[in-house]
Amino acid sequence: MRHLSYHHIRFSRQEEIQKAVRYFQSQIQTIDIVILCSGIGEQNSSLDFNIEFPTLLTNVVGWTYAIDAFYNIINHQGFEHLVTITSIGGLRGEPQAPAYSA
């Protein structure tokens, strides 16, 4: 029997990612597909690092942490479908939001 489950988390908080991973492992015997979608960004024409930092925590640190956690689970199963939804910002860049394009 197929089971669909989702969890809304803030990627900037590793404890929320850990909680979601534990939830899925306890509720679903086999994970067939993981779809991760994250991304935030703020206009920052003054290039103030304090404006960029939350974007880095979400789009780089949190995203990487989540990918690592779920990849290790589904890879251990011997099969996996890992889907990520990100931004085109990394291809064309945003001069007033550099962290968004990281």
Side-chain angles (χ1 to χ4, degrees), residues 58-100:
T58 297
N59 296 3
V60 178
V61 177
W63 183 87
T64 302
Y65 187 86
I67 289 294
D68 289 351
F70 281 108
Y71 176 82
N72 287 322
I73 291 167
I74 59 179
N75 188 49
H76 179 74
Q77 294 177 162
F79 58 91
E80 65 274 343
H81 289 90
L82 181 58
V83 178
T84 63
I85 302 170
T86 59
S87 170
I88 195 166
L91 297 176
R92 64 181 176 101
E94 295 291 332
Q96 293 185 7
Y100 183 74

Short mmCIF file of all heavy atoms in Angstrom, two decimals, residues 58-100:
data_model
loop_
_atom_site.label_atom_id
_atom_site.label_comp_id
_atom_site.label_asym_id
_atom_site.label_seq_id
_atom_site.Cartn_x
_atom_site.Cartn_y
_atom_site.Cartn_z
N THR A 58 19.49 28.85 4.98
CA THR A 58 18.45 28.06 4.36
C THR A 58 18.91 27.41 3.06
O THR A 58 18.83 26.20 2.90
CB THR A 58 17.21 28.93 4.07
OG1 THR A 58 16.70 29.40 5.32
CG2 THR A 58 16.13 28.15 3.35
N ASN A 59 19.38 28.22 2.14
CA ASN A 59 19.64 27.76 0.77
C ASN A 59 20.92 26.95 0.62
O ASN A 59 21.04 26.18 -0.33
CB ASN A 59 19.71 28.95 -0.18
CG ASN A 59 18.40 29.68 -0.28
OD1 ASN A 59 17.43 29.37 0.39
ND2 ASN A 59 18.37 30.69 -1.11
N VAL A 60 21.87 27.12 1.52
CA VAL A 60 23.13 26.39 1.41
C VAL A 60 23.26 25.38 2.55
O VAL A 60 23.29 24.17 2.33
CB VAL A 60 24.34 27.34 1.38
CG1 VAL A 60 25.65 26.57 1.30
CG2 VAL A 60 24.22 28.32 0.21
N VAL A 61 23.30 25.85 3.78
CA VAL A 61 23.55 24.97 4.92
C VAL A 61 22.37 24.01 5.15
O VAL A 61 22.55 22.80 5.21
CB VAL A 61 23.84 25.79 6.20
CG1 VAL A 61 24.01 24.89 7.40
CG2 VAL A 61 25.08 26.66 6.00
N GLY A 62 21.17 24.55 5.26
CA GLY A 62 20.01 23.70 5.52
C GLY A 62 19.72 22.74 4.39
O GLY A 62 19.42 21.56 4.61
N TRP A 63 19.79 23.23 3.16
CA TRP A 63 19.53 22.38 2.00
C TRP A 63 20.53 21.23 1.96
O TRP A 63 20.16 20.08 1.76
CB TRP A 63 19.61 23.21 0.73
CG TRP A 63 19.29 22.45 -0.51
CD1 TRP A 63 18.05 22.27 -1.06
CD2 TRP A 63 20.21 21.78 -1.38
NE1 TRP A 63 18.16 21.52 -2.21
CE2 TRP A 63 19.47 21.20 -2.42
CE3 TRP A 63 21.59 21.60 -1.36
CZ2 TRP A 63 20.05 20.46 -3.44
CZ3 TRP A 63 22.17 20.86 -2.37
CH2 TRP A 63 21.41 20.31 -3.40
N THR A 64 21.81 21.52 2.18
CA THR A 64 22.84 20.49 2.16
C THR A 64 22.62 19.49 3.28
O THR A 64 22.74 18.27 3.09
CB THR A 64 24.25 21.12 2.27
OG1 THR A 64 24.42 22.04 1.19
CG2 THR A 64 25.33 20.07 2.24
N TYR A 65 22.28 19.97 4.46
CA TYR A 65 22.02 19.08 5.59
C TYR A 65 20.86 18.13 5.28
O TYR A 65 20.95 16.92 5.53
CB TYR A 65 21.70 19.92 6.84
CG TYR A 65 21.58 19.10 8.09
CD1 TYR A 65 22.71 18.78 8.84
CD2 TYR A 65 20.35 18.66 8.53
CE1 TYR A 65 22.60 18.03 9.99
CE2 TYR A 65 20.24 17.90 9.69
CZ TYR A 65 21.36 17.59 10.42
OH TYR A 65 21.25 16.85 11.56
N ALA A 66 19.78 18.65 4.71
CA ALA A 66 18.61 17.82 4.37
C ALA A 66 18.95 16.81 3.28
O ALA A 66 18.56 15.64 3.37
CB ALA A 66 17.45 18.71 3.94
N ILE A 67 19.65 17.25 2.24
CA ILE A 67 20.03 16.34 1.17
C ILE A 67 20.89 15.21 1.71
O ILE A 67 20.66 14.03 1.40
CB ILE A 67 20.79 17.09 0.05
CG1 ILE A 67 19.83 17.99 -0.72
CG2 ILE A 67 21.49 16.13 -0.90
CD1 ILE A 67 18.77 17.28 -1.51
N ASP A 68 21.88 15.54 2.53
CA ASP A 68 22.74 14.50 3.11
C ASP A 68 21.92 13.49 3.91
O ASP A 68 22.11 12.28 3.77
CB ASP A 68 23.81 15.12 4.00
CG ASP A 68 24.88 15.88 3.24
OD1 ASP A 68 24.91 15.79 1.99
OD2 ASP A 68 25.70 16.56 3.90
N ALA A 69 21.04 13.99 4.76
CA ALA A 69 20.26 13.11 5.62
C ALA A 69 19.37 12.17 4.82
O ALA A 69 19.37 10.95 5.04
CB ALA A 69 19.40 13.94 6.59
N PHE A 70 18.61 12.71 3.87
CA PHE A 70 17.71 11.86 3.10
C PHE A 70 18.44 10.98 2.10
O PHE A 70 18.05 9.84 1.87
CB PHE A 70 16.63 12.70 2.41
CG PHE A 70 15.54 13.09 3.35
CD1 PHE A 70 15.43 14.41 3.78
CD2 PHE A 70 14.63 12.16 3.82
CE1 PHE A 70 14.42 14.78 4.66
CE2 PHE A 70 13.63 12.52 4.71
CZ PHE A 70 13.52 13.82 5.13
N TYR A 71 19.53 11.48 1.53
CA TYR A 71 20.29 10.65 0.59
C TYR A 71 20.83 9.41 1.30
O TYR A 71 20.76 8.30 0.76
CB TYR A 71 21.45 11.43 -0.04
CG TYR A 71 22.28 10.53 -0.93
CD1 TYR A 71 21.88 10.26 -2.23
CD2 TYR A 71 23.44 9.92 -0.45
CE1 TYR A 71 22.61 9.42 -3.04
CE2 TYR A 71 24.17 9.08 -1.26
CZ TYR A 71 23.75 8.82 -2.55
OH TYR A 71 24.48 7.98 -3.34
N ASN A 72 21.37 9.58 2.49
CA ASN A 72 21.91 8.44 3.22
C ASN A 72 20.84 7.39 3.51
O ASN A 72 21.11 6.19 3.46
CB ASN A 72 22.60 8.89 4.49
CG ASN A 72 23.92 9.56 4.20
OD1 ASN A 72 24.65 9.15 3.31
ND2 ASN A 72 24.24 10.61 4.93
N ILE A 73 19.64 7.82 3.80
CA ILE A 73 18.55 6.88 4.07
C ILE A 73 18.18 6.11 2.81
O ILE A 73 18.13 4.88 2.80
CB ILE A 73 17.31 7.61 4.61
CG1 ILE A 73 17.59 8.15 6.01
CG2 ILE A 73 16.09 6.68 4.63
CD1 ILE A 73 16.55 9.13 6.50
N ILE A 74 17.89 6.82 1.73
CA ILE A 74 17.41 6.14 0.54
C ILE A 74 18.53 5.36 -0.15
O ILE A 74 18.29 4.33 -0.76
CB ILE A 74 16.68 7.09 -0.43
CG1 ILE A 74 17.57 8.23 -0.89
CG2 ILE A 74 15.43 7.65 0.21
CD1 ILE A 74 16.90 9.18 -1.86
N ASN A 75 19.76 5.82 -0.03
CA ASN A 75 20.88 5.07 -0.59
C ASN A 75 21.07 3.75 0.17
O ASN A 75 21.36 2.72 -0.43
CB ASN A 75 22.16 5.90 -0.55
CG ASN A 75 23.28 5.26 -1.30
OD1 ASN A 75 23.12 4.84 -2.44
ND2 ASN A 75 24.43 5.17 -0.65
N HIS A 76 20.90 3.78 1.47
CA HIS A 76 21.00 2.57 2.29
C HIS A 76 19.94 1.54 1.89
O HIS A 76 20.18 0.34 1.97
CB HIS A 76 20.88 2.92 3.78
CG HIS A 76 20.96 1.74 4.68
ND1 HIS A 76 22.15 1.09 4.93
CD2 HIS A 76 20.00 1.09 5.37
CE1 HIS A 76 21.90 0.08 5.75
NE2 HIS A 76 20.62 0.07 6.04
N GLN A 77 18.80 2.01 1.45
CA GLN A 77 17.72 1.11 1.00
C GLN A 77 18.11 0.37 -0.28
O GLN A 77 17.54 -0.66 -0.60
CB GLN A 77 16.43 1.89 0.72
CG GLN A 77 15.82 2.50 1.92
CD GLN A 77 14.57 3.32 1.58
OE1 GLN A 77 13.81 3.59 2.46
NE2 GLN A 77 14.35 3.72 0.35
N GLY A 78 19.04 0.93 -1.04
CA GLY A 78 19.46 0.30 -2.28
C GLY A 78 18.76 0.84 -3.52
O GLY A 78 19.02 0.41 -4.63
N PHE A 79 17.85 1.75 -3.34
CA PHE A 79 17.18 2.40 -4.46
C PHE A 79 16.73 3.76 -3.96
O PHE A 79 16.53 3.96 -2.78
CB PHE A 79 15.99 1.60 -4.98
CG PHE A 79 14.95 1.33 -3.93
CD1 PHE A 79 13.89 2.20 -3.73
CD2 PHE A 79 15.04 0.20 -3.12
CE1 PHE A 79 12.94 1.96 -2.75
CE2 PHE A 79 14.08 -0.05 -2.15
CZ PHE A 79 13.03 0.83 -1.97
N GLU A 80 16.58 4.67 -4.89
CA GLU A 80 16.22 6.02 -4.44
C GLU A 80 15.70 6.87 -5.59
O GLU A 80 16.02 6.64 -6.75
CB GLU A 80 17.41 6.73 -3.80
CG GLU A 80 18.56 7.03 -4.74
CD GLU A 80 19.56 5.89 -4.90
OE1 GLU A 80 19.58 4.97 -4.08
OE2 GLU A 80 20.30 5.92 -5.88
N HIS A 81 14.88 7.80 -5.20
CA HIS A 81 14.46 8.90 -6.07
C HIS A 81 14.55 10.15 -5.20
O HIS A 81 13.78 10.30 -4.26
CB HIS A 81 13.04 8.71 -6.59
CG HIS A 81 12.93 7.61 -7.58
ND1 HIS A 81 12.67 6.31 -7.21
CD2 HIS A 81 13.06 7.61 -8.91
CE1 HIS A 81 12.62 5.55 -8.29
NE2 HIS A 81 12.86 6.32 -9.34
N LEU A 82 15.49 10.99 -5.50
CA LEU A 82 15.69 12.21 -4.74
C LEU A 82 15.50 13.37 -5.70
O LEU A 82 16.24 13.52 -6.66
CB LEU A 82 17.10 12.23 -4.13
CG LEU A 82 17.48 13.43 -3.29
CD1 LEU A 82 16.52 13.61 -2.12
CD2 LEU A 82 18.91 13.27 -2.78
N VAL A 83 14.48 14.17 -5.44
CA VAL A 83 14.13 15.29 -6.30
C VAL A 83 14.34 16.57 -5.51
O VAL A 83 13.92 16.69 -4.36
CB VAL A 83 12.65 15.20 -6.75
CG1 VAL A 83 12.27 16.40 -7.60
CG2 VAL A 83 12.38 13.90 -7.47
N THR A 84 15.02 17.53 -6.12
CA THR A 84 15.18 18.82 -5.48
C THR A 84 14.65 19.91 -6.40
O THR A 84 14.78 19.83 -7.62
CB THR A 84 16.66 19.12 -5.15
OG1 THR A 84 17.40 19.20 -6.35
CG2 THR A 84 17.24 18.07 -4.23
N ILE A 85 14.02 20.87 -5.80
CA ILE A 85 13.51 22.02 -6.53
C ILE A 85 14.27 23.22 -6.00
O ILE A 85 14.20 23.55 -4.82
CB ILE A 85 12.00 22.19 -6.33
CG1 ILE A 85 11.27 20.92 -6.77
CG2 ILE A 85 11.50 23.43 -7.07
CD1 ILE A 85 9.80 20.88 -6.39
N THR A 86 15.05 23.82 -6.89
CA THR A 86 15.85 24.97 -6.48
C THR A 86 15.55 26.13 -7.41
O THR A 86 14.50 26.17 -8.03
CB THR A 86 17.35 24.61 -6.50
OG1 THR A 86 17.71 24.18 -7.81
CG2 THR A 86 17.68 23.50 -5.51
N SER A 87 16.46 27.05 -7.54
CA SER A 87 16.21 28.27 -8.29
C SER A 87 17.16 28.41 -9.47
O SER A 87 18.27 27.90 -9.45
CB SER A 87 16.39 29.47 -7.36
OG SER A 87 16.38 30.67 -8.09
N ILE A 88 16.72 29.14 -10.44
CA ILE A 88 17.58 29.49 -11.57
C ILE A 88 18.58 30.57 -11.18
O ILE A 88 19.50 30.88 -11.93
CB ILE A 88 16.73 29.93 -12.78
CG1 ILE A 88 17.57 29.92 -14.04
CG2 ILE A 88 16.10 31.30 -12.52
CD1 ILE A 88 16.79 30.01 -15.31
N GLY A 89 18.46 31.10 -9.97
CA GLY A 89 19.35 32.16 -9.51
C GLY A 89 20.81 31.79 -9.58
O GLY A 89 21.67 32.64 -9.78
N GLY A 90 21.12 30.50 -9.41
CA GLY A 90 22.50 30.06 -9.49
C GLY A 90 23.06 30.14 -10.90
O GLY A 90 24.28 30.14 -11.08
N LEU A 91 22.19 30.19 -11.89
CA LEU A 91 22.64 30.26 -13.27
C LEU A 91 22.82 31.68 -13.77
O LEU A 91 23.71 31.97 -14.55
CB LEU A 91 21.66 29.53 -14.19
CG LEU A 91 21.51 28.03 -13.95
CD1 LEU A 91 20.43 27.46 -14.86
CD2 LEU A 91 22.83 27.32 -14.19
N ARG A 92 21.93 32.56 -13.35
CA ARG A 92 22.00 33.92 -13.88
C ARG A 92 22.37 34.95 -12.84
O ARG A 92 22.71 36.06 -13.16
CB ARG A 92 20.70 34.30 -14.58
CG ARG A 92 19.50 34.36 -13.69
CD ARG A 92 18.25 34.73 -14.50
NE ARG A 92 17.09 34.69 -13.64
CZ ARG A 92 16.53 35.75 -13.12
NH1 ARG A 92 16.99 36.95 -13.37
NH2 ARG A 92 15.47 35.63 -12.36
N GLY A 93 22.28 34.61 -11.57
CA GLY A 93 22.69 35.51 -10.50
C GLY A 93 21.74 36.67 -10.26
O GLY A 93 20.94 37.02 -11.12
N GLU A 94 21.81 37.20 -9.09
CA GLU A 94 21.01 38.35 -8.67
C GLU A 94 21.94 39.34 -8.01
O GLU A 94 22.39 39.13 -6.89
CB GLU A 94 19.93 37.92 -7.68
CG GLU A 94 18.88 36.99 -8.24
CD GLU A 94 17.97 37.67 -9.24
OE1 GLU A 94 17.77 38.90 -9.15
OE2 GLU A 94 17.46 36.96 -10.13
N PRO A 95 22.27 40.45 -8.67
CA PRO A 95 23.23 41.40 -8.11
C PRO A 95 22.84 41.95 -6.75
O PRO A 95 23.69 42.30 -5.95
CB PRO A 95 23.31 42.51 -9.14
CG PRO A 95 22.58 42.06 -10.33
CD PRO A 95 21.78 40.86 -9.96
N GLN A 96 21.54 42.05 -6.47
CA GLN A 96 21.09 42.60 -5.20
C GLN A 96 20.72 41.52 -4.19
O GLN A 96 20.16 41.81 -3.14
CB GLN A 96 19.92 43.54 -5.41
CG GLN A 96 20.32 44.77 -6.18
CD GLN A 96 19.20 45.78 -6.29
OE1 GLN A 96 18.15 45.63 -5.68
NE2 GLN A 96 19.43 46.82 -7.05
N ALA A 97 21.05 40.26 -4.50
CA ALA A 97 20.79 39.15 -3.57
C ALA A 97 21.83 38.05 -3.82
O ALA A 97 21.49 36.96 -4.26
CB ALA A 97 19.37 38.62 -3.75
N PRO A 98 23.10 38.31 -3.54
CA PRO A 98 24.14 37.33 -3.87
C PRO A 98 23.99 35.99 -3.18
O PRO A 98 24.28 34.96 -3.79
CB PRO A 98 25.44 38.03 -3.47
CG PRO A 98 25.06 39.19 -2.64
CD PRO A 98 23.65 39.52 -2.96
N ALA A 99 23.54 35.94 -1.94
CA ALA A 99 23.40 34.66 -1.25
C ALA A 99 22.33 33.80 -1.90
O ALA A 99 22.43 32.57 -1.90
CB ALA A 99 23.07 34.87 0.23
N TYR A 100 21.32 34.41 -2.48
CA TYR A 100 20.27 33.67 -3.16
C TYR A 100 20.84 32.92 -4.36
O TYR A 100 20.37 31.84 -4.71
CB TYR A 100 19.16 34.62 -3.61
CG TYR A 100 17.99 33.91 -4.25
CD1 TYR A 100 17.09 33.20 -3.49
CD2 TYR A 100 17.81 33.96 -5.63
CE1 TYR A 100 16.02 32.54 -4.07
CE2 TYR A 100 16.75 33.29 -6.22
CZ TYR A 100 15.86 32.60 -5.44
OH TYR A 100 14.81 31.94 -6.02
#
